[in-house]
Each structure stands twice: as C-alpha cells, then as structure tokens.
Amino acid sequence: MDFVLAVAQNAPGRGRMFVRQLVQSDSHQDAAEQTESPEEELYPGHIRTTPLQKALLGVGSTLMALYSPARDDMVAVNGEVTGMLALPWMHRKMLEDAEGQQILREKPKLNSYTVDLDALRSLPEGTLGRAYTQFLDVNGVSPDTRLPVRFVDDPELAYVMQRYREAHDLMHTVLGMNTKLVGEVAVKWVEGLQTGLPMCLGGALMAPIRFRPKQRKDYVTRVLPWALKNGFKGKFILNAYFEKRWSQDLNDFRKEFNIQEPPSA
C-alpha cells in the first residue's frame, strides 16, 4: 500500500486527488484482509494487491507515465497491472513452441551477471551477440536496469513479464531500432502486436503526439508500415532462446523470425 500511496502522491493535479480517494476507499478493506488471511509472497519481491488496487495502480501509473515519460518505474508498474489478459496469452504462445517451453523450464535471466558481454563483443561482426553489445554500447544502456516484477500474482506469468522486460534491448537489436523516440515507438508497435500488452499498445498510440513534423512524416510513411508488418507477420520473438543463439547470424535470425530489414535512414 505504501507504493500505491507513492503513486498517488506523484500523480499530477486531479489525477492525484482521484488516486488518493481510491486508496482511502480501499484501505480499510485491505487492512481487514491482511489481518484475516496473511499470505506469503509468491516470489521474491512480490506485492499482493486486490483488483481495486491494481486498477488504482493502473490509473496512477498511466497518469505519471503521460506526465513524465521518462518514469520507467511507472511504465513497468503499468505493464504488470494491466497485463492480466495478455500475460496468459504470452505464456500459451511459449508453451506452444519447443524453444519457448525450454525457456519456461530453465528460466534464464538476461543481465551482465548471467551473460558474458565481453565475450559477446569478441564474436564476429554480424552475429546476434555482437550486434546486441553494439546496441548497448552505442545507445549507452545496460541490461541491469530492468526492474523486477512485483505485481503479477502468478510466478510463471511473473517470469514471462520479466523475460519480456529483459529482452527489450534484444528486440531493439533484432529490429535495428535505436532508443530515440521514433525507434522506441516502432519497437512498442511490434511488442504490442506480438504480446497484446496494453502498456505497449498505449505507448505506441500516444507517443507519436510528441513527434516533430519531420519525425511524423518519416514515421507515417516509412517506420509505421514497417513496424505494423513485423508486428503482425513476425514470429513470436519471446520464443527465441537468445542465450543459445549469440553466434547466429543476425540476418539469419531475422529470416527465421520473419522480421524485415529496418527501413533505411
């Protein structure tokens, strides 16, 4: 509940008032439930929330993400509490694929502690692993910045969300998109269409409002059609066991997953 209150405190204007009212209306019921049937966390860091609290978090995190798009923590929370329908669907997509099944069994993690990034940097040019580290280095990002999942009330689905989150930079790599606004929107379209996560689709729809005229023209004429085609026709990329594919040629990976070459600059 402290986190919910924090969302309320940081939400702008009337949004803050709305969020705080919802917190107050739910606080007595929440306290009673905790007194009657205390439950252990389902996985490390898990925070159990009621449906109303999830709705509250969805509203608060949406308001904050719109007010301050750089708030990755709000985007992460929004993805978790609004993904109740998408996550089971993503899980089924992984169960339907042999490689996806292996990922769910072994539950690998993507970070600098589990992946030897220096070894990937030494791979031949054009391989998936080399391209991944080049993306990290050129864009100044780290695989260690992905927040842990907390609000998903199922350990298996929590892992699916965590895997999606940790694979985001690899999605950029495979699609050939940088971390600038147009690149992020393109990736969000592909992620949203492949996963059904409302957070991705909402970001893809809302973020172009911030485009400058030149960006908007390029986006509408080249980037958006390309992203939609990859989102609809591409193979489900979360079924890629990236850790076993580092030496694979990136172009071969794209062909296997039916991903078109990125539009030329």
Side-chain angles (χ1 to χ4, degrees), residues 159-186:
Y159 174 75
V160 172
M161 174 58 82
Q162 192 69 40
R163 183 67 175 180
Y164 153 76
R165 193 171 286 173
E166 292 176 359
H168 178 71
D169 292 332
L170 275 157
M171 184 73 80
H172 274 274
T173 302
V174 170
L175 294 173
M177 289 288 106
N178 59 31
T179 58
K180 295 179 181 179
L181 185 57
V182 174
E184 287 289 356
V185 172

Short mmCIF file of all heavy atoms in Angstrom, two decimals, residues 159-186:
data_model
loop_
_atom_site.label_atom_id
_atom_site.label_comp_id
_atom_site.label_asym_id
_atom_site.label_seq_id
_atom_site.Cartn_x
_atom_site.Cartn_y
_atom_site.Cartn_z
N TYR A 159 7.44 -14.51 -14.45
CA TYR A 159 8.66 -14.76 -15.22
C TYR A 159 8.47 -14.32 -16.68
O TYR A 159 9.38 -13.76 -17.28
CB TYR A 159 9.06 -16.24 -15.19
CG TYR A 159 10.24 -16.48 -16.10
CD1 TYR A 159 11.51 -16.07 -15.72
CD2 TYR A 159 10.06 -17.02 -17.37
CE1 TYR A 159 12.59 -16.21 -16.59
CE2 TYR A 159 11.13 -17.16 -18.24
CZ TYR A 159 12.40 -16.77 -17.84
OH TYR A 159 13.46 -16.89 -18.71
N VAL A 160 7.31 -14.60 -17.25
CA VAL A 160 7.06 -14.19 -18.63
C VAL A 160 7.21 -12.68 -18.77
O VAL A 160 7.84 -12.18 -19.71
CB VAL A 160 5.66 -14.64 -19.10
CG1 VAL A 160 5.32 -14.04 -20.46
CG2 VAL A 160 5.58 -16.16 -19.15
N MET A 161 6.65 -11.93 -17.82
CA MET A 161 6.79 -10.48 -17.84
C MET A 161 8.25 -10.07 -17.68
O MET A 161 8.75 -9.17 -18.38
CB MET A 161 5.93 -9.84 -16.75
CG MET A 161 6.13 -8.33 -16.60
SD MET A 161 5.80 -7.39 -18.10
CE MET A 161 4.02 -7.24 -18.02
N GLN A 162 8.97 -10.73 -16.77
CA GLN A 162 10.38 -10.40 -16.56
C GLN A 162 11.19 -10.69 -17.82
O GLN A 162 12.07 -9.92 -18.20
CB GLN A 162 10.93 -11.20 -15.38
CG GLN A 162 12.30 -10.73 -14.90
CD GLN A 162 12.26 -9.36 -14.24
OE1 GLN A 162 11.32 -9.06 -13.49
NE2 GLN A 162 13.25 -8.54 -14.50
N ARG A 163 10.90 -11.82 -18.47
CA ARG A 163 11.62 -12.18 -19.70
C ARG A 163 11.35 -11.15 -20.79
O ARG A 163 12.29 -10.72 -21.50
CB ARG A 163 11.18 -13.57 -20.17
CG ARG A 163 11.92 -14.06 -21.41
CD ARG A 163 13.38 -14.32 -21.13
NE ARG A 163 14.06 -14.90 -22.29
CZ ARG A 163 15.34 -15.22 -22.32
NH1 ARG A 163 16.11 -15.00 -21.25
NH2 ARG A 163 15.88 -15.75 -23.39
N TYR A 164 10.10 -10.74 -20.93
CA TYR A 164 9.77 -9.70 -21.90
C TYR A 164 10.57 -8.43 -21.61
O TYR A 164 11.14 -7.80 -22.51
CB TYR A 164 8.27 -9.39 -21.87
CG TYR A 164 7.96 -7.99 -22.31
CD1 TYR A 164 8.02 -7.63 -23.66
CD2 TYR A 164 7.69 -6.98 -21.37
CE1 TYR A 164 7.79 -6.33 -24.06
CE2 TYR A 164 7.45 -5.68 -21.77
CZ TYR A 164 7.50 -5.36 -23.11
OH TYR A 164 7.29 -4.06 -23.50
N ARG A 165 10.61 -8.07 -20.35
CA ARG A 165 11.28 -6.83 -19.94
C ARG A 165 12.78 -6.90 -20.24
O ARG A 165 13.38 -5.96 -20.76
CB ARG A 165 11.02 -6.60 -18.45
CG ARG A 165 11.36 -5.23 -17.94
CD ARG A 165 10.85 -5.08 -16.52
NE ARG A 165 9.39 -4.93 -16.48
CZ ARG A 165 8.67 -4.91 -15.37
NH1 ARG A 165 9.26 -5.06 -14.18
NH2 ARG A 165 7.36 -4.75 -15.42
N GLU A 166 13.39 -8.03 -19.90
CA GLU A 166 14.83 -8.17 -20.08
C GLU A 166 15.20 -8.32 -21.56
O GLU A 166 16.34 -8.03 -21.93
CB GLU A 166 15.34 -9.37 -19.28
CG GLU A 166 15.25 -9.15 -17.77
CD GLU A 166 15.66 -10.38 -16.97
OE1 GLU A 166 15.99 -11.42 -17.59
OE2 GLU A 166 15.65 -10.31 -15.73
N ALA A 167 14.27 -8.77 -22.38
CA ALA A 167 14.55 -8.97 -23.81
C ALA A 167 14.30 -7.70 -24.62
O ALA A 167 14.49 -7.72 -25.85
CB ALA A 167 13.70 -10.12 -24.35
N HIS A 168 13.91 -6.62 -23.97
CA HIS A 168 13.55 -5.40 -24.71
C HIS A 168 14.71 -4.89 -25.56
O HIS A 168 14.52 -4.51 -26.72
CB HIS A 168 13.09 -4.32 -23.74
CG HIS A 168 12.73 -3.02 -24.39
ND1 HIS A 168 11.61 -2.85 -25.17
CD2 HIS A 168 13.38 -1.82 -24.39
CE1 HIS A 168 11.56 -1.60 -25.62
NE2 HIS A 168 12.63 -0.96 -25.17
N ASP A 169 15.92 -4.87 -25.01
CA ASP A 169 17.07 -4.38 -25.77
C ASP A 169 17.39 -5.31 -26.93
O ASP A 169 17.89 -4.86 -27.97
CB ASP A 169 18.29 -4.23 -24.86
CG ASP A 169 18.13 -3.10 -23.85
OD1 ASP A 169 17.39 -2.15 -24.15
OD2 ASP A 169 18.72 -3.18 -22.76
N LEU A 170 17.12 -6.59 -26.76
CA LEU A 170 17.32 -7.52 -27.88
C LEU A 170 16.27 -7.30 -28.96
O LEU A 170 16.54 -7.50 -30.15
CB LEU A 170 17.29 -8.96 -27.37
CG LEU A 170 18.65 -9.43 -26.83
CD1 LEU A 170 18.48 -10.58 -25.85
CD2 LEU A 170 19.56 -9.83 -27.98
N MET A 171 15.08 -6.88 -28.57
CA MET A 171 14.06 -6.53 -29.56
C MET A 171 14.56 -5.35 -30.39
O MET A 171 14.41 -5.34 -31.63
CB MET A 171 12.74 -6.20 -28.87
CG MET A 171 11.60 -5.92 -29.81
SD MET A 171 10.98 -7.40 -30.63
CE MET A 171 9.94 -8.08 -29.31
N HIS A 172 15.13 -4.35 -29.73
CA HIS A 172 15.73 -3.22 -30.46
C HIS A 172 16.80 -3.72 -31.42
O HIS A 172 16.87 -3.28 -32.57
CB HIS A 172 16.37 -2.24 -29.47
CG HIS A 172 15.43 -1.21 -28.92
ND1 HIS A 172 15.17 -0.02 -29.56
CD2 HIS A 172 14.72 -1.19 -27.78
CE1 HIS A 172 14.33 0.69 -28.83
NE2 HIS A 172 14.04 0.01 -27.74
N THR A 173 17.64 -4.64 -30.94
CA THR A 173 18.74 -5.15 -31.75
C THR A 173 18.22 -5.87 -32.99
O THR A 173 18.68 -5.63 -34.12
CB THR A 173 19.60 -6.12 -30.92
OG1 THR A 173 20.10 -5.44 -29.76
CG2 THR A 173 20.77 -6.65 -31.74
N VAL A 174 17.28 -6.77 -32.79
CA VAL A 174 16.73 -7.55 -33.90
C VAL A 174 16.03 -6.65 -34.91
O VAL A 174 16.15 -6.84 -36.13
CB VAL A 174 15.77 -8.63 -33.36
CG1 VAL A 174 15.01 -9.29 -34.50
CG2 VAL A 174 16.55 -9.67 -32.56
N LEU A 175 15.32 -5.64 -34.42
CA LEU A 175 14.59 -4.74 -35.31
C LEU A 175 15.48 -3.65 -35.91
O LEU A 175 15.07 -2.97 -36.85
CB LEU A 175 13.43 -4.10 -34.55
CG LEU A 175 12.32 -5.05 -34.10
CD1 LEU A 175 11.32 -4.33 -33.21
CD2 LEU A 175 11.61 -5.68 -35.29
N GLY A 176 16.68 -3.48 -35.33
CA GLY A 176 17.58 -2.45 -35.83
C GLY A 176 17.14 -1.05 -35.49
O GLY A 176 17.41 -0.10 -36.23
N MET A 177 16.48 -0.88 -34.34
CA MET A 177 15.96 0.42 -33.92
C MET A 177 16.77 0.98 -32.76
O MET A 177 17.10 0.26 -31.82
CB MET A 177 14.50 0.28 -33.49
CG MET A 177 13.51 0.00 -34.61
SD MET A 177 13.21 1.44 -35.68
CE MET A 177 14.12 0.97 -37.16
N ASN A 178 17.08 2.29 -32.81
CA ASN A 178 17.78 2.93 -31.71
C ASN A 178 16.81 3.29 -30.60
O ASN A 178 15.62 2.94 -30.65
CB ASN A 178 18.55 4.16 -32.20
CG ASN A 178 17.63 5.20 -32.85
OD1 ASN A 178 16.47 5.34 -32.49
ND2 ASN A 178 18.16 5.91 -33.84
N THR A 179 17.30 4.01 -29.59
CA THR A 179 16.47 4.35 -28.43
C THR A 179 15.85 5.74 -28.52
O THR A 179 15.27 6.22 -27.54
CB THR A 179 17.30 4.26 -27.13
OG1 THR A 179 18.42 5.15 -27.23
CG2 THR A 179 17.80 2.84 -26.90
N LYS A 180 15.97 6.39 -29.68
CA LYS A 180 15.29 7.67 -29.85
C LYS A 180 13.79 7.43 -29.95
O LYS A 180 13.34 6.29 -30.11
CB LYS A 180 15.83 8.38 -31.09
CG LYS A 180 17.29 8.78 -30.96
CD LYS A 180 17.80 9.47 -32.21
CE LYS A 180 19.28 9.85 -32.07
NZ LYS A 180 19.83 10.50 -33.28
N LEU A 181 13.02 8.51 -29.89
CA LEU A 181 11.58 8.39 -29.74
C LEU A 181 10.94 7.56 -30.86
O LEU A 181 10.12 6.68 -30.60
CB LEU A 181 10.94 9.78 -29.68
CG LEU A 181 9.43 9.82 -29.39
CD1 LEU A 181 9.11 9.10 -28.10
CD2 LEU A 181 8.94 11.26 -29.33
N VAL A 182 11.32 7.83 -32.12
CA VAL A 182 10.72 7.08 -33.23
C VAL A 182 11.08 5.61 -33.13
O VAL A 182 10.24 4.73 -33.36
CB VAL A 182 11.17 7.66 -34.59
CG1 VAL A 182 10.67 6.80 -35.73
CG2 VAL A 182 10.66 9.10 -34.76
N GLY A 183 12.33 5.31 -32.77
CA GLY A 183 12.74 3.92 -32.62
C GLY A 183 11.99 3.22 -31.52
O GLY A 183 11.59 2.05 -31.66
N GLU A 184 11.79 3.90 -30.40
CA GLU A 184 11.06 3.30 -29.28
C GLU A 184 9.60 3.02 -29.67
O GLU A 184 9.05 1.98 -29.31
CB GLU A 184 11.10 4.22 -28.06
CG GLU A 184 12.43 4.28 -27.35
CD GLU A 184 12.77 2.99 -26.60
OE1 GLU A 184 11.93 2.06 -26.56
OE2 GLU A 184 13.89 2.92 -26.06
N VAL A 185 9.00 3.94 -30.40
CA VAL A 185 7.61 3.74 -30.81
C VAL A 185 7.50 2.55 -31.76
O VAL A 185 6.58 1.73 -31.65
CB VAL A 185 7.04 5.02 -31.47
CG1 VAL A 185 5.67 4.75 -32.07
CG2 VAL A 185 6.94 6.14 -30.44
N ALA A 186 8.45 2.43 -32.68
CA ALA A 186 8.44 1.29 -33.61
C ALA A 186 8.54 -0.03 -32.85
O ALA A 186 7.80 -0.98 -33.14
CB ALA A 186 9.60 1.42 -34.60
#
